Structure formats: C-alpha cells, structure tokens
Amino acid sequence: MFERKKSILFITKSKIKIVSVVFGKIPRENVIAESDWNFDNLLSFILQYKKSIGNYARLLISEDFVYVITLSFPQEAVLDRDVIRKRAQEFIPEDLNKTIWYFKEVSNRKTLVVAAVKELFEDISEIITKSEVRIETIEPLSLSLARLTQKQAPPILFIYLYDKAYLTFAQKEAVFATERLDLPLTLGKVKKFILFTKENFEIGPKEIVFCGNTDALNLQEYEKENFRTQIQQLSPTISLAYKEDTKDKDKKELNLELIRTFSPSPSLKIVSPKKNKLPVFWIVSIIFLIIIIALEVLLYFRFDLKLMQK
C-alpha cells in the first residue's frame, strides 16, 4: 500500500536526526538515523542515508542557526523592507545586508523576522548542497512549535527537550521570544525567561508545555510555583511535514533558502579546463585548406605528367 511520506532533516548545533514522517489520520514519525555531528562528518552521514532520505527533504533547524524575533510598530509607521530591516538590526547582531532574512506580518503592526547566522548557515548550506538532497523548505524549530498554537488564543511557553532545552514563547503562530538552555533544565532559568517575556511583551505564558525527551522531567517543582504545566507528545518534525507548500507566497509563510554564494573550502582544488590555443572553427578551416592545396598539387602533377608522355 502506498504511503505518503516526507523526509525531514532536524539539525541542532550538536545533533542531527533524519526522520520519515508518514501522513495519515495518526501521522507517524519514523527515525531513520540520529547522531552527533561536526562539519567534518556531516556530509558523509547524510550520504550514508541518502537512499532512505530520497531526492527531496525538508530542513528543521534549531535557533543556533537563525535569529527569530517579533517586532512591534506604531500605527502610523509605513512598513517596507528597509524600515523592518533597520528596526530588526537593533536586536539582531548579524549584518542583515550580508545574510538571508525574511519577515511576515503576524498580527496588527507586529512583524516576525527570521535571519540566518551567516557563518553557520553558510556551512550547513554548503554541505547539504554537496549531498544533492534538494531542500523543499527550511524552518526554525520555534516556528514549527508555534504553528501548533494556531487555534489557541492564550500564549504558551513550549519547552522542547533534546540536546538542549529549547524555549519558545508563542501565541497564535507568532514567536515572541526564544531561548536555548543547557541541560539539566532548572526552574530558576525558566522563571527568568518568563520574567523577560513579561517585561518586554507585557504578557506572560498562561501554560507551559513540555515536549521532546521528557522522561527525566519532574513536573512537581513547577506545580509548586503554580505554573499550569503539562507534557504533550508534540513533534516539530510532523508539524514541518504538514506545512503547506508555499513557494512564492512569502507574505503568508517564511521560506528560508540555502545560501549558495559560499566560497569554496580551502581543501577543494579547483582545476580550470585548459583552453585551446586556436578555436575549433579555425583549426578545422586550416585542415580543410591544407587538403584543398594538396589535391590541387596532386592534380597539377598528374596533368603535367600526361603532357610529358605526349
């Protein structure tokens, strides 16, 4: 029986997980492979499972590779790309004139901006391009989690536990703030992040949803602080698999692309093809001329020989 599938590459700064998402009433997430990685072994790891991945995949990346921020603008502001870039540059340390960045309006006068960390994103782009896996869409982890708030009005703090704790404060698909915390996660650091959201956005999360590797999680310490918490089996890779294919619809969806303008690695030797000293046309012409002259000489001698015989 034919099953519709999507291959997802989920990459954080230290881990890579290759997943096949099977569509259906109850979608399944089948892990093809999972490993630690570095820039020396990532290409060989992807190539090892290239047959299982197929020719096309979607790329899910942690906030190690991108900045995600929501900006508020006054009602009288006239918004265009330059205005948004100047405002976003106040918060994003990356030079937005030298990296890939996108934006979309998420609510009245609020704009979501995603910008690539050029050096890391460029290296990832180079490796994936060499693997010849064609990337359909690229999405930050926080946006895949925020998509799950589409039909929920109250703001939610998602805490995705993997190689790190990835915090996403979201409401109605808009990501207001993100954070990456080392494991084991502490209540104090979570409370500090919540305080930050209240001070900067004048709202705090009404609920904390833990997902990912939650086996070692103890909810009791959060419940003592009167946090409304729960554990859900949420999958950002399934969320990305179901993302609508929105090529050329950037007003509705953020579609990052691989950076293809990277410089060749120093280890790569690029050998330029040798140029012919003469164009092929002239070489053929000279050969043809030599043949004509030879034929004329041959005919001359034959004619001269017949005259002598007479």
Side-chain angles (χ1 to χ4, degrees):
M1 181 178 176
F2 176 78
E3 292 181 313
R4 186 179 167 219
K5 301 178 181 179
K6 282 285 184 185
S7 294
I8 309 291
L9 305 182
F10 177 24
I11 302 179
T12 71
K13 199 171 182 179
S14 64
K15 302 277 286 187
I16 176 172
K17 181 162 62 172
I18 302 173
V19 175
S20 175
V21 174
V22 181
F23 291 80
K25 291 184 179 180
I26 303 177
R28 303 195 313 273
E29 179 187 53
N30 298 327
V31 178
I32 296 171
E34 187 173 11
S35 176
D36 296 336
W37 72 272
N38 56 54
F39 285 110
D40 293 326
N41 66 17
L42 182 58
L43 178 59
S44 60
F45 182 80
I46 295 175
L47 290 176
Q48 182 181 353
Y49 297 97
K50 176 75 161 46
K51 187 175 181 180
S52 298
I53 296 170
N55 294 325
Y56 296 89
R58 295 186 171 191
L59 180 60
L60 180 66
I61 52 177
S62 67
E63 273 62 25
D64 298 291
F65 304 98
V66 289
Y67 299 97
V68 181
I69 188 171
T70 296
L71 304 172
S72 297
F73 293 91
Q75 290 291 335
E76 64 274 11
V78 179
L79 299 183
D80 58 25
R81 188 174 178 85
D82 287 336
V83 170
I84 295 170
R85 177 183 56 78
K86 289 178 182 178
R87 180 67 190 285
Q89 195 67 84
E90 297 176 12
F91 302 93
I92 297 174
E94 201 78 20
D95 187 345
L96 296 180
N97 289 317
K98 297 181 180 180
T99 192
I100 291 176
W101 69 281
Y102 290 84
F103 68 91
K104 73 170 181 178
E105 186 176 348
V106 292
S107 62
N108 186 27
R109 314 311 291 177
K110 292 188 184 295
T111 300
L112 178 66
V113 176
V114 177
V117 179
K118 187 175 185 296
E119 184 177 358
L120 291 175
F121 197 78
E122 196 170 59
D123 290 340
I124 287 290
S125 296
E126 179 177 1
I127 290 169
I128 293 177
T129 300
K130 287 179 182 178
S131 75
E132 298 185 348
V133 174
R134 297 182 183 180
I135 299 300
E136 296 177 328
T137 188
I138 303 171
E139 186 167 81
L141 174 64
S142 58
L143 265 65
S144 287
L145 292 171
R147 186 177 296 111
L148 304 174
T149 66
Q150 183 179 11
K151 298 180 180 180
Q152 298 190 30
I156 295 176
L157 172 57
F158 293 99
I159 301 181
Y160 184 79
L161 302 174
Y162 190 46
D163 56 332
K164 290 184 179 180
Y166 296 93
L167 281 63
T168 298
F169 177 47
Q171 183 181 30
K172 292 184 178 179
E173 294 190 84
V175 176
F176 288 98
T178 66
E179 182 64 277
R180 306 183 310 278
L181 299 175
D182 291 333
L183 298 176
L185 183 65
T186 64
L187 175 61
K189 290 181 178 180
V190 174
K191 291 171 68 175
K192 185 176 179 180
F193 178 76
I194 292 174
L195 180 62
F196 168 82
T197 64
K198 289 180 178 179
E199 290 177 346
N200 287 272
F201 303 102
E202 298 180 351
I203 54 173
K206 298 296 184 181
E207 187 173 5
I208 302 176
V209 175
F210 290 93
C211 48
N213 301 334
T214 59
D215 292 344
L217 181 65
N218 180 12
L219 286 184
Q220 290 183 352
E221 58 179 337
Y222 293 90
E223 293 169 352
K224 290 178 181 178
E225 298 290 333
N226 294 321
F227 286 124
R228 187 168 59 187
T229 60
Q230 59 175 303
I231 296 175
Q232 291 190 17
Q233 300 302 315
L234 303 177
S235 170
T237 55
I238 291 178
S239 173
L240 179 55
Y242 274 85
K243 176 185 175 182
E244 182 185 357
D245 188 1
T246 55
K247 189 176 182 181
D248 301 325
K249 298 179 183 177
D250 289 342
K251 291 183 179 179
K252 294 183 179 180
E253 293 286 346
L254 291 171
N255 290 303
L256 288 169
E257 296 179 356
L258 296 178
I259 296 179
R260 302 184 186 277
T261 56
F262 52 81
S263 301
S265 301
S267 59
L268 295 177
K269 294 182 179 180
I270 300 178
V271 181
S272 300
K274 294 181 179 180
K275 295 182 179 180
N276 294 322
K277 293 182 179 180
L278 288 174
V280 174
F281 172 78
W282 288 109
I283 293 174
V284 173
S285 299
I286 292 171
I287 293 173
F288 181 74
L289 182 60
I290 292 172
I291 292 172
I292 294 297
I293 293 172
L295 288 172
E296 288 181 351
V297 171
L298 180 61
L299 289 172
Y300 172 79
F301 278 109
R302 289 186 64 184
F303 179 75
D304 188 56
L305 182 60
K306 287 182 179 180
L307 287 177
M308 290 176 65
Q309 288 175 350
K310 290 181 179 181

